[in-house]
């Protein structure tokens, strides 16, 4: 046996063990890493506001606290308004449920010529096996639901804490990262950081502007139709449709459609049509113009980045995919040399071949006329005309390259 073989086997086993340990540690810490990633992008988003206040003499810690306090107050107000709306609407729906059921049963009896009664339908519904099983499963899953809620609150506090420190200690963090790099690399890191701040802030601010426009548009529609809680519903549609990628539009439109249905089924149909039409207007007209000035990323690239981010990291990847892609695109743009491209080369090639064919036709025509004369010469006037045409033809065929 060679002397190096046992040592190589031990080294290979050690490498495999280290890889397995690193894989296990990564899977154990993936939740924390995702929270840190979300916190980092949130800190980048609030960096312009914090830097603006810090430039005017305010301490960065106090400025960061004020920004986060404003976000907390706005979120609390939104959820309080939404919660009161849902509570009142649910209470109204429970009180008017018998009337809704009577109207549905009357429509079924008149349409299908049946003889159903509300008492019979209620008894069958309350005694159904699936309802009893659902209630039993819900009672058994109370502990699991409570654990999920507590875990979500813990993750939220983790994100808030990390993002606060990232934003408050941004300059110190940048110095710590750059202190281990040579000067040239330090410039690249600082440039990438500035690009990330600009793109992330621009993305969130553009989303906020589109949320404001969407909320106002839906509020006006719901107010004109007499749908209750129009301000809260407009705010719900604006925020959910913009800050929840991919499925946010459908989640946002479902609630106002449901509440409009309690007023009048035709109102629900009108709201549904308006949601669909406004979504097309936003996708093809509003969003490209707004994001082109803030994020500068093609809509197809944005859609592809959202799909890729969702496949890699779920909802978190969908949320941070667009600013991450915009940052990477802007950073790589400084290292990619671009060249001017003329118009369609195929068009130039066709024009060049057409001019060459015209010149060849003129030469053949002149040769045929020379053959027709016995002395092989043309009259002076024709010779001058032919020479002029040949010179004009040569001047009219510039090099297309």
């Amino acid at each position: 046996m060679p002397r190096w073989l046992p040592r190589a086997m031990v080294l290979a086993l050690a490498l495999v063990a280290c890889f397995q340990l690193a894989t296990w540690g990564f899977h154990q810490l993936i939740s924390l890493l995702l929270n840190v990633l979300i916190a980092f992008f949130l800190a980048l988003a609030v960096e312009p506001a914090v830097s603006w206040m810090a430039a005017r003499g305010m301490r960065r810690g106090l400025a960061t606290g004020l920004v986060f306090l404003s976000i907390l107050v706005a979120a609390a107000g939104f959820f309080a308004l939404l919660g009161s709306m849902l509570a009142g609407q649910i209470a109204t729906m429970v009180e008017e449920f018998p009337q809704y059921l009577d109207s549905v049963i009357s429509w079924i009896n008149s349409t299908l010529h049946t003889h159903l009664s509300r008492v019979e339908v209620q008894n069958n519904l309350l005694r159904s096996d699936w309802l009893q099983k659902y209630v039993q499963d819900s009672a058994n899953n109370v502990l699991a639901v409570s654990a999920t809620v507590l875990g979500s609150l813990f993750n939220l506090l983790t994100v808030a804490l990390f993002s606060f420190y990232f934003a408050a200690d941004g300059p110190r963090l940048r110095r710590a990262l750059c202190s281990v790099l040579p000067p040239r690399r330090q410039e690249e890191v600082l440039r990438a950081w500035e690009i990330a701040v600009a793109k992330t802030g621009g993305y969130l601010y553009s989303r906020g502007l589109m949320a404001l426009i969407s909320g106002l548009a839906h509020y006006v529609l719901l107010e004109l139709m007499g749908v209750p809680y129009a301000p809260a519903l407009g705010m719900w549609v604006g925020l959910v449709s913009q800050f929840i990628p991919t499925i946010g539009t459908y989640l946002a439109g479902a609630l106002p459609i449901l509440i409009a249905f309690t007023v009048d089924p035709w109102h629900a149909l009108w709201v549904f049509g308006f949601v669909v039409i406004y979504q097309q207007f936003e996708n093809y007209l509003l969003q490209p113009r707004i994001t082109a000035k803030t994020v500068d990323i093609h809509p197809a690239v944005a859609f592809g980045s959202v799909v890729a981010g969702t496949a890699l990291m779920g909802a978190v990847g969908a949320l941070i995919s667009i600013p991450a892609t915009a940052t990477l695109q802007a950073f790589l743009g400084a290292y990619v040399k671009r060249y001017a491209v003329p118009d369609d080369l195929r068009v130039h090639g066709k024009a060049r071949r057409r001019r060459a064919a015209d010149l060849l036709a003129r030469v053949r025509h002149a040769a045929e006329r020379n053959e027709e004369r016995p002395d092989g010469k043309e009259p002076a006037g024709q010779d001058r005309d032919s020479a002029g045409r040949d010179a004009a033809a040569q001047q009219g065929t510039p090099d297309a390259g």
Side-chain angles (χ1 to χ4, degrees), residues 259-389:
I259 294 180
F261 183 81
T262 61
V263 178
D264 190 347
W266 286 105
H267 287 4
L269 184 61
W270 282 106
V271 173
F272 173 77
F274 181 81
V275 169
V276 173
I277 295 174
Y278 181 83
Q279 186 63 28
Q280 304 305 314
F281 163 75
E282 181 182 278
N283 290 338
Y284 293 101
L285 294 178
L286 184 62
Q287 182 176 350
R289 285 170 170 78
I290 293 179
T291 55
K293 298 180 180 179
T294 55
V295 184
D296 192 17
I297 184 173
H298 194 274
V301 177
F303 178 75
S305 64
V306 169
V307 173
T310 305
L312 292 176
M313 293 184 292
V316 176
L319 186 62
I320 67 176
S321 58
I322 293 180
T325 303
T327 301
L328 181 62
Q329 175 181 318
F331 183 72
L332 293 179
Y335 300 95
V336 177
K337 187 176 181 180
R338 300 181 181 273
Y339 301 92
V341 179
D343 294 336
D344 194 349
L345 298 179
R346 293 172 297 179
V347 175
H348 284 282
K350 292 179 180 179
R352 185 176 181 179
R353 288 193 296 269
R354 189 181 304 112
R355 289 193 294 267
D358 293 340
L359 178 60
L360 183 60
R362 293 191 186 98
V363 171
R364 288 178 179 175
H365 182 66
E368 290 175 357
R369 286 187 297 179
N370 289 334
E371 291 177 357
E372 291 177 357
R373 295 185 57 81
D375 54 355
K377 297 182 180 180
E378 292 185 354
Q382 293 182 357
D383 185 56
R384 287 194 299 268
D385 294 341
S386 177
R389 285 195 300 267

Side-chain angles (χ1 to χ4, degrees), residues 12-70:
L13 292 176
L15 291 176
V16 171
C18 291
F19 176 76
Q20 294 293 334
L21 182 62
T23 304
W24 175 81
F26 177 77
H27 285 291
Q28 295 296 322
L29 297 176
I30 189 170
S31 178
L32 177 62
L33 295 176
L34 288 177
N35 290 335
V36 171
L37 185 62
I38 297 173
F40 178 72
F41 274 93
L42 182 59
L44 293 179
V46 301
E47 177 72 19
V50 174
S51 299
W52 182 81
M53 287 188 287
R56 282 154 180 78
M58 187 179 296
R59 295 178 54 188
R60 287 190 65 90
L62 180 59
T64 306
L66 290 177
V67 172
F68 276 89
L69 181 61
S70 302

Side-chain angles (χ1 to χ4, degrees), residues 226-269:
V227 177
Y229 305 103
L233 288 176
M235 190 182 303
W236 163 266
V237 173
L239 293 177
V240 173
S241 63
Q242 300 302 325
F243 290 99
I244 296 182
T246 309
I247 62 173
T249 301
Y250 308 104
L251 293 177
L255 184 60
I257 291 173
L258 178 62
I259 294 180
F261 183 81
T262 61
V263 178
D264 190 347
W266 286 105
H267 287 4
L269 184 61

